[in-house]
Amino acid sequence: MTDRATEILAGSKTIAVVGLSRDPAKASHGVAAVLQAHGFRIIPVHPSADELLGEKVYRSLTDIPEPVDLVDVFRPSEDTPPIAEQAVAIGAKALWLQQGIVSAESRRIAEEGGLDYVEDRCTAVVRAVANLSVR
């Protein structure tokens, strides 16, 4: 039996990663690289980088010129409500707060905006357990 988080990730092909770090030692970089290696399209969102993981970087979700299935967030909990608002504004299908990140306000914004919502889970772990790849 699959859980809802697995279903959400399995239904996603294009993932905007908010807070993707330049530092390969950081979790956000490693998780995004793993997802990319398994065929997911990664769109980095970072305030000052130009390219990460070989992809053009956008300053905010609203700058991304293509549809996004999943917004994967690596930012402190208190920073996530505006990201949730942007995810709703761009018509993303889901908002996912990474392991250790929880926000009742972001959950409310996402769910009221019609988005699926996951918090305090790691996309790379969910991907590995379910053996998900996009090809």
Side-chain angles (χ1 to χ4, degrees):
M1 182 174 128
T2 60
D3 70 354
R4 188 66 186 132
T6 302
E7 292 171 2
I8 291 167
L9 188 57
S12 300
K13 305 219 178 330
T14 302
I15 302 174
V17 182
V18 179
L20 178 54
S21 177
R22 292 181 173 134
D23 183 351
K26 297 272 187 164
S28 63
H29 193 96
V31 167
V34 164
L35 294 172
Q36 188 180 53
H38 286 275
F40 292 91
R41 165 110 164 83
I42 298 300
I43 302 175
V45 177
H46 186 282
S48 61
D50 293 321
E51 184 178 293
L52 291 169
L53 298 174
E55 297 287 344
K56 176 178 170 46
V57 175
Y58 295 91
R59 301 291 168 248
S60 73
L61 291 172
T62 55
D63 292 334
I64 298 172
E66 64 186 273
V68 170
D69 297 318
L70 175 66
V71 175
D72 192 7
V73 182
F74 288 88
R75 298 291 304 141
S77 298
E78 60 271 14
D79 292 353
T80 63
I83 297 166
E85 290 169 352
Q86 286 185 27
V88 170
I90 67 167
K93 294 178 186 172
L95 179 67
W96 188 305
L97 305 188
Q98 276 291 330
Q99 191 167 324
I101 307 170
V102 176
S103 171
E105 179 69 2
S106 292
R107 174 185 292 275
R108 183 192 62 73
I109 293 165
E111 290 178 347
E112 286 180 4
L115 276 62
D116 286 320
Y117 182 83
V118 178
E119 66 183 10
D120 196 22
R121 300 276 305 267
C122 178
T123 47
V125 171
V126 171
R127 190 227 59 81
V129 169
N131 196 26
L132 296 174
S133 290
V134 177
R135 295 287 176 221

